[in-house]
Amino acid sequence: MVERFDIAEEFTNVMLEVGLLHTLATQPDVYWDVVDYLTFEVFTGERQAVYESIVRAIEDGKPIPEVPPAEPIQDPVEAAKTLLNLFQQRQVAALSFSVLQRIREGIDSTQLIAEMEEGLAQIQQSVRELHAGQAVSILDLLPETITEAEKRRQAVKEKGTAAIGLPTGIKTLDKMLGGLQTGIHLLAARPGEGKTTFVLQCAMATVETGFPVLFVSFEETLQRLALKAICSKAQLEAKPFADGYGDIQQLRDAAATYGPQLGALYFIEGSRKLTVSQLKAKALQAMNKTGTDKCLIVVDYLQRWASNIQGPDEYRLRVSSLISEIREMSLRLDSPVIVVSSQNRDGQGAPDLTSFKESGDIEYSADTAMFLVRDNNKQATPPNRAVSLSVAKNRYGDIGKIELFFRPDIGRFWEVAQSEY
């Protein structure tokens, strides 16, 4: 029989909590040294309310309420770190106890593992959000900054590329952007120009370097996306298989050859129930599974997601709120997000930032903004199409055009200079 225990007692130090509260009440200046490690959840029982009342008084410049006498804490910062660690241990213990209870209930093992992964992801997210609000001195940041610069320099020496973010598979684009770095990368085009195909190709390029990808689709079925991905890798036409007259053995062979390479490509069907918080948790699960510190998220596409959100706000405000949440998710996960956007009717097919549908916060929130534009002035041998990828905004470097060929039949883009077709 599973032994029951009180999680609050098992991972709680009441004397330390009381002592730290007493120290804060009698030495208010200490608060500014420990604030980065404490939230009300770090304390237990009635001490949560006591801590909140002390914080309100300190921050508002009002008299601090009296607290029970206690031994003063000699090292408040270390005490705050200890209480934070106990809080995290309580979370892990609660999850572990829940898992044991579910095992006793006879839960299916697959569902149990999924619940464990989601629980761990939520714990990780709570830790990330606590650290996200910290004010960090440049002196503390410089060592890590130099280390990152060294890594980038080493990558250039080893790979001959300056890309530090996740790859798109388009070499010139990776050079311009430095790869897909943390932030929002917008992609727009008029209907039928290959937006979904392009971001799916970027997703596969990222997966092949060992990082997971979450591809959220409000446009196509997950099976259709999987078919496009496998056919693109095998350079097979997807349409015959979709229409029912393709060679199934060819498809089986392609799946056996390329499927394992794309195992970390996860598709999510967009729905009105999907929230950014849920997507963030799923991303953390994927990162845990692959043992990576970042991932790529693709949203196809923004306006469809916003239209599915129920609420009293007008549509434009829902778009603005959604793009803000997506940006925050990107920063919390330290991972890039490609967001496919539609264009307004007057701006379709034009590489203009104001052409984004419900523009305003969209283009201001984006770190890069790209447009796929058909190039009718450039010749291409059918079934190739000549297109330009216009980078109209780039916080990481230059803007400009990249000449591409698009093969819609097999779902691939190539740079003109490197095209095999």
Side-chain angles (χ1 to χ4, degrees):
M1 179 178 292
V2 177
E3 181 181 356
R4 293 183 175 273
F5 60 89
D6 189 328
I7 293 173
E9 292 182 1
E10 188 79 9
F11 299 102
T12 299
N13 188 329
V14 174
M15 290 185 62
L16 193 61
E17 291 182 33
V18 171
L20 186 55
L21 290 173
H22 176 75
T23 301
L24 291 172
T26 56
Q27 304 174 49
D29 287 346
V30 169
Y31 169 68
W32 307 108
D33 295 327
V34 300
V35 63
D36 284 343
Y37 306 102
L38 297 179
T39 67
F40 79 95
E41 297 170 308
V42 168
F43 295 90
T44 57
E46 68 277 6
R47 289 169 292 281
Q48 290 185 352
V50 175
Y51 175 68
E52 285 190 289
S53 66
I54 292 174
V55 170
R56 282 197 301 269
I58 292 174
E59 293 183 350
D60 295 342
K62 296 180 179 179
I64 298 174
E66 293 186 4
V67 298
E71 288 291 326
I73 300 294
Q74 298 299 318
D75 189 343
V77 172
E78 191 60 34
K81 290 180 179 179
T82 299
L83 292 181
L84 173 60
N85 184 55
L86 287 170
F87 165 61
Q88 293 168 0
Q89 288 179 335
R90 289 198 296 274
Q91 289 182 299
V92 174
L95 176 62
S96 301
F97 186 75
S98 174
V99 168
L100 290 175
Q101 290 292 91
R102 296 290 277 158
I103 291 175
R104 294 178 64 190
E105 293 168 4
I107 185 176
D108 176 74
S109 59
T110 302
Q111 183 179 346
L112 176 64
I113 292 171
E115 290 182 4
M116 289 172 61
E117 289 177 342
E118 183 175 358
L120 287 171
Q122 290 173 350
I123 293 172
Q124 278 192 324
Q125 186 58 28
S126 69
V127 174
R128 284 173 182 257
E129 290 178 351
L130 177 62
H131 292 314
Q134 294 183 3
V136 184
S137 167
I138 188 172
L139 296 176
D140 295 325
L141 289 172
L142 283 175
E144 185 176 351
T145 302
I146 294 171
T147 299
E148 285 298 313
E150 289 174 343
K151 289 180 181 178
R152 295 170 188 176
R153 178 58 180 160
Q154 189 63 32
V156 172
K157 289 181 178 179
E158 293 177 358
K159 302 176 183 178
T161 174
I164 58 174
L166 302 180
T168 66
I170 306 295
K171 289 185 178 180
T172 302
L173 181 61
D174 286 337
K175 186 175 181 180
M176 290 177 69
L177 306 184
L180 294 170
Q181 302 185 50
T182 298
I184 292 178
H185 304 270
L186 284 178
L187 177 71
R190 67 184 183 183
E193 293 300 323
K195 298 186 296 294
T196 298
T197 299
F198 185 84
V199 294
L200 183 58
Q201 183 170 322
C202 292
M204 291 189 288
T206 291
V207 166
E208 288 171 353
T209 59
F211 291 93
V213 175
L214 281 78
F215 194 113
V216 184
S217 176
F218 290 86
E219 282 286 275
E220 301 201 44
T221 67
L222 307 191
Q223 291 77 13
R224 177 74 176 181
L225 287 170
L227 177 64
K228 280 187 172 183
I230 289 298
C231 287
S232 176
K233 287 294 296 178
Q235 298 187 21
L236 297 172
E237 291 188 41
K239 191 176 188 306
F241 299 106
D243 292 347
Y245 58 87
D247 184 337
I248 299 302
Q249 188 57 49
Q250 274 191 320
L251 185 60
R252 286 198 178 101
D253 291 342
T257 300
Y258 299 105
Q261 299 175 18
L262 302 176
L265 174 55
Y266 301 96
F267 293 113
I268 300 173
E269 185 176 357
S271 71
R272 68 182 56 197
K273 294 181 180 180
L274 181 66
T275 67
V276 176
S277 294
Q278 290 171 339
L279 179 56
K280 187 163 50 178
K282 293 177 187 297
L284 286 168
Q285 289 178 10
M287 290 158 65
N288 285 333
K289 283 183 179 180
T290 54
T292 55
D293 59 356
K294 63 180 59 184
C295 66
L296 171 63
I297 297 174
V298 178
V299 176
D300 186 17
Y301 65 94
L302 177 69
Q303 286 78 10
R304 280 290 300 274
W305 194 354
S307 67
N308 281 345
I309 297 173
Q310 297 178 330
D313 293 335
E314 63 177 86
Y315 176 68
R316 186 183 184 89
L317 292 177
R318 294 203 299 272
V319 172
S320 176
S321 176
L322 180 58
I323 199 72
S324 295
E325 286 188 67
I326 291 173
R327 180 164 184 77
E328 182 180 357
M329 173 182 67
S330 173
L331 296 176
R332 295 291 178 268
L333 297 174
D334 190 22
S335 299
V337 182
I338 300 178
V339 177
V340 178
S341 173
S342 56
Q343 293 179 282
N344 54 50
R345 184 165 298 181
D346 293 336
Q348 281 192 0
D352 188 343
L353 290 174
T354 61
S355 71
F356 288 114
K357 194 171 183 180
E358 307 301 333
S359 63
D361 290 338
I362 295 179
E363 64 264 31
Y364 290 123
S365 297
D367 295 277
T368 69
M370 299 171 285
F371 299 86
L372 282 171
V373 181
R374 187 177 300 198
D375 191 346
N376 294 320
N377 297 320
K378 189 175 183 62
Q379 291 187 345
T381 303
N384 278 334
R385 292 182 193 169
V387 298
S388 294
L389 179 67
S390 291
V391 180
K393 178 180 180 181
N394 181 13
R395 285 183 176 154
Y396 308 108
D398 295 331
I399 60 175
K401 280 185 182 181
I402 302 171
E403 302 299 328
L404 302 173
F405 282 142
F406 174 33
R407 280 282 305 267
D409 55 334
I410 62 173
R412 289 288 297 275
F413 284 84
W414 286 272
E415 289 187 65
V416 169
Q418 299 171 348
S419 177
E420 303 169 14
Y421 295 85

